[in-house]
Amino acid sequence: MRRLTRTVAAAALTAALALASGCSSGSDKSEDAKNAGGALEKVTYLTSFGNFGRDSYAWVAKEKGFFKEAGFDVDIKPGQGTGQVIQTITGGQADFGPIDLTGGILQMGNGQAKDFVAVAAIQQRTMAAIVSVEGKNIATPKDLEGKRLADTKFSVVYNLFPTYAKLAGIDASKVTWVNGEAQSLIGDLAAGKVDGIGQFVVGQPTVATVTKKNPVVLPYSNVMQDLYGNALITSSKIAKEKPEMVKRFVAALLKGLEYALEHPQEAAEMLKKNVDATVPAAAAAELELMAAYVRSSNSGTAIGTLDSGRVAKSIALLQGAGALKQDLTPDQIIDMNLAPKA
């Protein structure tokens, strides 16, 4: 009798599942197919700037299966800074990638880019900085005059420098900039080819490892308050046509970000597994430094949130410094319907 009862129950369950499947929506069907081992959606993701510890959270999301659980097969490629990431995504060669949000505002507000939107914050405060080493006679922003600096032409550090210089009292005409590549900048600094480089403040451990000298850091945040750091972007087309897909990807990536911050050494080892040039100790140290920028008093404990009021302040700051040729509103650069809620 018990066996018969189990058989009837199993049959009823099968029938119920079949009925539920027949009545489910298209999105439910796709979710069922994903959970049953269906085909994953291929996505190309760009890092913000090379393959450093600060970007390892994407590899964590892939290695830990967070992307797969969300239905994605993600190809991670190294980005070369804000401008290049925007161009590649709006050109259709990639789907998602982090940019410095202030750099994105500069690009859009000066007619250099369009058709992209930010859908999540990675860092709540800008990490942009000029980084030098001891022995270069650089201790204050004014000391940059007469010096030779390097960065990629797409980097927010390079593109935001005129505004930083104006607010910090630097004569920008007395500073020489040369082009560099993301992965070779620190080597150029170590070799003495330049006096300083565009970097994020969390790059200090890597700079110290490569140059064998103590880094000297001039954070842009010292003179520019309320600026966000990196924000995840996608194309306006994808945001409009696939909003639910964007939300799933954002959730999976932020899950990787949170895990990486909680387990920096493990995240560094995952990066090393995929990028052979990684120095795990330096990568882990970058993540430890980055943690304070991912959560801030402005966002509470939430990860990924964006505040249109803060973005409006950033726009006003840049307009006041004469850095924008066009008027912008926050909703032109961020999609609050897709961004995580505080």
Side-chain angles (χ1 to χ4, degrees), residues 40-106:
L40 299 174
E41 185 170 2
K42 292 187 179 299
V43 166
T44 298
Y45 173 91
L46 297 178
T47 67
S48 65
F49 194 75
N51 283 312
F52 297 102
R54 72 204 71 159
D55 273 300
S56 62
Y57 57 88
W59 294 108
V60 170
K62 185 170 184 175
E63 290 290 324
K64 297 296 291 185
F66 302 152
F67 284 145
K68 187 175 182 180
E69 290 169 3
F72 300 110
D73 176 13
V74 180
D75 182 18
I76 303 173
K77 296 182 177 180
Q80 288 288 327
T82 294
Q84 183 263 352
V85 172
I86 292 174
Q87 287 180 12
T88 307
I89 288 175
T90 58
Q93 290 82 44
D95 304 292
F96 295 94
I99 66 166
D100 187 280
L101 189 59
T102 307
I105 293 172
L106 286 171

Side-chain angles (χ1 to χ4, degrees), residues 72-240:
F72 300 110
D73 176 13
V74 180
D75 182 18
I76 303 173
K77 296 182 177 180
Q80 288 288 327
T82 294
Q84 183 263 352
V85 172
I86 292 174
Q87 287 180 12
T88 307
I89 288 175
T90 58
Q93 290 82 44
D95 304 292
F96 295 94
I99 66 166
D100 187 280
L101 189 59
T102 307
I105 293 172
L106 286 171
Q107 291 267 312
M108 187 175 286
N110 289 310
Q112 298 167 327
K114 59 180 181 178
D115 300 330
F116 71 91
V117 289
V119 293
I122 302 300
Q123 294 113 22
Q124 293 290 327
R125 292 183 291 131
T126 183
M127 300 196 303
I130 303 294
V131 177
S132 184
V133 290
E134 289 182 343
K136 296 290 185 180
N137 296 319
I138 295 175
T140 69
K142 190 70 174 175
D143 296 332
L144 295 175
E145 294 180 2
K147 299 298 193 297
R148 183 179 173 89
L149 308 178
D151 204 347
T152 73
K153 64 179 180 179
F154 300 110
S155 167
V156 67
V157 178
Y158 172 77
N159 287 289
L160 191 54
F161 183 76
T163 303
Y164 171 72
K166 183 175 181 178
L167 296 174
I170 303 167
D171 184 345
S173 67
K174 295 181 179 179
V175 180
T176 301
W177 283 90
V178 297
N179 290 331
E181 295 295 325
Q183 295 297 133
S184 63
L185 286 174
I186 299 177
D188 291 343
L189 180 61
K193 296 180 180 179
V194 293
D195 301 302
I197 58 175
Q199 260 293 332
F200 281 167
V201 293
V202 297
Q204 297 174 62
T206 304
V207 171
T209 298
V210 175
T211 64
K212 311 299 182 186
K213 296 180 179 179
N214 292 326
V216 175
V217 183
L218 301 177
Y220 279 14
S221 61
N222 285 355
V223 297
M224 292 182 283
Q225 303 296 320
D226 274 326
L227 299 184
Y228 277 96
N230 279 354
L232 181 70
I233 68 163
T234 188
S235 67
S236 300
K237 176 179 171 66
I238 290 176
K240 180 180 180 180

